[in-house]
């Protein structure tokens, strides 16, 4: 597993995407698979930037590859519990005129990933996503 | 990187990645637009929930003024994200 630390700031998004792309290109992942993992990483990261109260200056993002399964783990430190697996799915039938922005990010993660797990211990939060990439 | 190109009156092209880092700038660029719009997505490589939020805001403003927003030429990958979000049933996509 390869882990890097990133500032809890939207300005770190580009570096996170580069980390994901480099990791996957070194392992021969397809472009579509890479874009899926980038989307998962972005949605989990922006969720902690926008919603996690308090929190350390940095988050930790780890990637692990055991073909064909990719594991992505995002850890957030010194935060309140926020179980992403229990966030209700948005009502997708609501007309766009009545739709409020927000709520879609975690829904997209759940649609794209094979599995999403949440752990909270000693004020530290960990979201682990697994996804089968390619055939 | 994300860019909006004006192709012709009422037709814009979205180019690149509409992600959380690009969302605020995109929303600002769309804010001044009124009237029906066609958004050419042939060079839109990636969109996240932040980007979808920008499009919701655009749609709501244009629709409130009696106009329509039509997305054309979506690449399959981006089209899938719209489907996951249920937007394919709510937005005009050609």
């Amino acid at each position: 597993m390869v882990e890097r630390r990133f500032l809890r700031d939207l300005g770190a998004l580009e570096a996170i995407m580069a980390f994901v792309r480099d990791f996957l290109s070194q392992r021969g992942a397809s472009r579509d698979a890479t874009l899926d993992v980038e989307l998962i990483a972005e949605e989990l990261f922006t969720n902690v930037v926008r919603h996690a109260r308090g929190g350390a200056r940095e988050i930790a993002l780890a990637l692990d590859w055991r073909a064909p399964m990719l594991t992505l783990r995002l850890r957030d430190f010194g935060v309140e519990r926020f179980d992403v697996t229990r966030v209700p799915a948005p009502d997708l039938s609501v007309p766009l005129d009545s739709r409020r922005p927000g709520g879609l990010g975690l829904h997209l993660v759940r649609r794209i990933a094979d599995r999403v797990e949440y752990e909270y211990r000693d004020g530290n939060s960990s979201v682990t996503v697994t996804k089968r990439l390619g055939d | 990187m994300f860019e909006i190109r004006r192709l012709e009156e009422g037709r814009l092209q979205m180019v690149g990645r509409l992600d959380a880092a690009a969302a605020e700038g995109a929303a600002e660029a769309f804010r001044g637009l009124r009237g029906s719009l066609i958004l050419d997505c042939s060079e839109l490589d990636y969109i996240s929930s932040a980007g979808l939020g920008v499009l919701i805001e655009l749609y709501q403003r244009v629709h409130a003024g009696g106009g329509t927003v039509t997305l054309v030429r979506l690449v399959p990958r981006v089209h899938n994200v719209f489907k996951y979000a249920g937007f394919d049933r709510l937005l005009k996509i050609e």
Side-chain angles (χ1 to χ4, degrees):
Chain A
M1 181 169 269
V2 178
E3 185 175 78
R4 299 264 161 84
R5 300 240 167 174
F6 298 93
L7 284 177
R8 177 206 296 277
D9 185 274
L10 273 187
L13 187 60
E14 198 175 329
I16 288 174
M17 297 291 105
F19 170 53
V20 170
R21 276 195 291 270
D22 288 347
F23 180 90
L24 289 175
S25 76
Q26 286 167 18
R27 287 150 182 86
S30 70
R31 186 164 180 270
D32 274 0
T34 302
L35 288 170
D36 276 348
V37 181
E38 285 181 37
L39 184 56
I40 290 169
E42 175 180 338
E43 299 298 353
L44 293 180
F45 177 66
T46 55
N47 188 63
V48 302
V49 169
R50 293 196 172 125
H51 303 300
R53 292 186 193 158
R57 214 164 143 262
E58 291 182 327
I59 58 95
L61 183 67
L63 296 169
D64 191 30
W65 170 250
R66 287 162 211 260
M69 301 303 290
L70 176 100
T71 301
L72 179 155
R73 185 186 68 198
L74 189 146
R75 292 191 295 149
D76 200 11
F77 310 103
V79 291
E80 293 179 5
R81 182 186 184 92
F82 183 76
D83 188 345
V84 299
T85 64
R86 294 185 180 275
V87 174
D91 183 352
L92 301 183
S93 66
V94 170
L96 277 186
D97 292 300
S98 310
R99 195 73 85 90
R100 289 185 173 196
L104 279 173
L106 294 176
H107 170 70
L108 291 177
V109 172
R110 289 193 292 252
R111 282 299 309 264
I112 292 170
D114 292 313
R115 192 168 176 171
V116 182
E117 294 171 295
Y118 179 79
E119 194 179 335
Y120 185 79
R121 191 182 297 167
D122 302 327
N124 301 323
S125 190
S126 178
V127 180
T128 302
V129 172
T130 50
K131 178 166 175 63
R132 183 186 183 92
L133 300 184
D135 294 320
Chain B
M1 189 274 302
F2 179 73
E3 192 185 335
I4 299 170
R5 294 178 189 157
R6 189 175 297 272
L7 297 179
E8 59 192 42
E9 187 65 38
R11 189 175 182 117
L12 303 176
Q13 185 179 42
M14 296 195 288
V15 179
R17 300 169 61 98
L18 187 46
D19 61 15
E24 198 176 318
E28 189 58 42
F30 283 136
R31 218 154 267 149
L33 299 178
R34 296 288 182 269
S36 292
L37 273 176
I38 295 173
L39 294 178
D40 184 317
C41 303
S42 56
E43 293 193 34
L44 181 66
D45 300 323
Y46 173 100
I47 191 164
S48 65
S49 66
L52 293 175
V54 171
L55 295 183
I56 291 175
E57 193 185 310
L58 172 67
Y59 171 87
Q60 288 174 343
R61 189 173 53 257
V62 168
H63 197 238
T68 58
V69 176
T70 306
L71 279 70
V72 300
R73 304 174 72 196
L74 275 80
V75 300
R77 172 85 188 60
V78 171
H79 199 165
N80 282 341
V81 176
F82 276 83
K83 284 183 193 169
Y84 297 152
F87 279 30
D88 58 319
R89 288 176 272 121
L90 302 173
L91 265 176
K92 202 171 170 195
I93 295 177
E94 293 174 3

